[in-house]
Amino acid sequence: MLIRRAPRFTSNDVTDETLYWNRREWIAAAAATLALLPGEGAAAAPAGPPLKAARNEGLSLKEPPTKFDAATTYNNFYEFGVNKDDPARLAHTLRPRPWAVQVDGLVHTPKTFDVDELIRLHPPEERVYALRCVEAWSMVIPWIGFPLGALLRRVEPTGQAKYVEFTTLLDPNQFPAQRRGFFGFSSLDWPYVEGLRLDEAMHPLTLVTVGMYGQVLPNQNGAPLRVVVPWKYGFKSAKSIVRIRLVAEEPKTAWNKAAAQEYGFYSNVNPEVSHPRWSQATERRIGEFRRRPTLMFNGYADQVAHLYAGMNLKALY
Ligand code: MTE
């Protein structure tokens, strides 16, 4: 029998999503009939340790979740490279336990927490959110975590605290793209830094996320803990966080430093403000072909619009 090998596509940071999914479907179909060589197929989605969580019905989106396999193999995590499948292939080098998170800055009681201590202190709940990336696609992911506000109240912010800065781990042994001489795009200034205004951080929708789909967070999705801010573009949700710092000034964020004219501090999902290189008026849900109109604040306008009352969101994008 003539066995044809899967065609080799190369992808880059702007991988065309249709091509990507056609390729994955092709590989899945081929795998069913042909014996694939090791490493030739796409990375299998990992089945991680289970993580129990009560459903927060009030704050959950009532839409069917994206397939787990898609949510764990089509990722942005530039510490592992710029291709959407790099994180699933390479994130086994990340060691998410033991893991300490420092919560400090303008607070009365700074503290460093072990991640499992944090989970014990804050019983996780499940919330389903659409996470939209900058390339106008979206996924619906049942995130598991607890409100960031509960953690911030624990360390008692002082009156000077106006913003919250999140910092990802800096460790070239665990993140290949942080190595000097790493082959590929590496123009982000490591470590990855993101930030929120204090009132955004205290909003009950803002989640410290430790799991998804009933299990602990897979490495490629930001293990052992990341932030999820459902009404903002995906890049605001920093992964694998080691420090949460309360500060007086707007933090300098990684994407803003790399391309200020493209990525502002607020980064609210806003169909009326085009990215300089593409429209943000419509999006494609991963797993669907039709495009749908993008909703202001990702559909959470009723809950969050008041945070931006009186602000010019075209100037403060
Ligand atoms: N956090 C770190 N540390 N490094 C990154 O490259 N990418 C961001 C965000 N958080 C990123 C990160 C971007 S661009 C997106 S869209 C989301 O993570 C993707 O999260 P997901 O892979 O779980 O969907």
Side-chain angles (χ1 to χ4, degrees):
M1 186 172 83
L2 180 68
I3 297 188
R4 289 222 189 108
R5 299 190 48 174
R8 293 212 173 272
F9 293 98
T10 56
S11 52
N12 55 35
D13 60 326
V14 287
T15 313
D16 176 71
E17 173 206 316
T18 316
L19 170 66
Y20 181 92
W21 288 106
N22 286 346
R23 170 192 167 204
R24 283 187 55 75
E25 276 153 22
W26 196 97
I27 290 172
T33 51
L34 305 176
L36 284 177
L37 297 173
E40 196 165 18
L51 181 65
K52 284 214 184 78
R55 185 85 186 263
N56 184 320
E57 293 297 340
L59 293 172
S60 285
L61 201 77
K62 313 280 178 289
E63 286 192 59
T66 299
K67 288 203 173 100
F68 177 79
D69 185 50
T72 52
T73 58
Y74 191 72
N75 301 102
N76 277 344
F77 201 163
Y78 278 50
E79 284 84 342
F80 294 110
V82 298
N83 299 317
K84 299 284 186 255
D85 53 358
D86 285 341
R89 283 192 308 110
L90 302 173
H92 57 88
T93 56
L94 176 63
R95 295 187 303 274
R97 295 286 190 294
W99 191 278
V101 191
Q102 187 180 343
V103 190
D104 66 346
L106 299 171
V107 300
H108 292 293
T109 49
K111 190 167 175 338
T112 297
F113 298 88
D114 173 77
V115 66
D116 292 316
E117 177 193 2
L118 264 188
I119 295 173
R120 268 195 305 278
L121 288 170
H122 304 92
E125 56 187 54
E126 185 196 60
R127 303 183 191 182
V128 183
Y129 288 139
L131 169 87
R132 182 173 297 106
C133 188
V134 289
E135 290 127 349
W137 48 265
S138 59
M139 299 193 197
V140 178
I141 299 185
W143 297 115
I144 298 175
F146 57 87
L148 172 63
L151 172 58
L152 296 181
R153 272 191 290 278
R154 200 174 275 282
V155 295
E156 302 173 289
T158 70
Q160 284 86 50
K162 297 284 180 280
Y163 295 89
V164 185
E165 180 191 78
F166 307 94
T167 306
T168 293
L169 175 71
L170 178 67
D171 183 354
N173 288 323
Q174 298 188 58
F175 290 138
Q178 291 180 346
R179 283 179 211 146
R180 212 172 297 151
F182 172 76
F183 179 73
F185 173 91
S186 145
S187 66
L188 286 183
D189 191 9
W190 309 117
Y192 194 96
V193 170
E194 257 307 337
L196 293 172
R197 221 171 51 193
L198 185 57
D199 57 346
E200 297 177 317
M202 298 299 288
H203 194 283
L205 282 171
T206 303
L207 209 62
V208 174
T209 301
V210 293
M212 57 194 262
Y213 297 83
Q215 66 174 61
V216 302
L217 211 53
N219 284 2
Q220 59 268 41
N221 293 89
L225 87 167
R226 55 138 359 133
V227 172
V228 169
V229 194
W231 69 95
K232 292 182 184 274
Y233 291 109
F235 65 90
K236 289 301 279 185
S237 301
K239 294 176 163 182
S240 305
I241 293 169
V242 290
R243 189 173 188 194
I244 299 175
R245 190 163 70 107
L246 284 284
V247 293
E249 309 290 335
E250 196 177 279
K252 300 254 174 294
T253 67
W255 280 105
N256 187 254
K257 279 200 271 180
Q261 67 293 352
E262 301 197 3
Y263 306 107
F265 179 77
Y266 281 92
S267 314
N268 289 317
V269 171
N270 188 343
E272 289 156 25
V273 176
S274 292
H275 182 277
R277 289 182 281 131
W278 53 76
S279 160
Q280 302 193 129
T282 64
E283 70 195 67
R284 197 199 326 264
R285 208 39 73 78
I286 294 292
E288 296 179 356
F289 287 100
R290 72 187 170 102
R291 298 193 74 81
R292 47 171 88 204
T294 287
L295 302 176
M296 188 67 196
F297 299 119
N298 213 6
Y300 295 97
D302 287 351
Q303 290 97 323
V304 301
H306 69 275
L307 296 172
Y308 310 102
M311 281 174 60
N312 176 351
L313 295 184
K314 289 207 159 77
L316 295 164
Y317 52 93

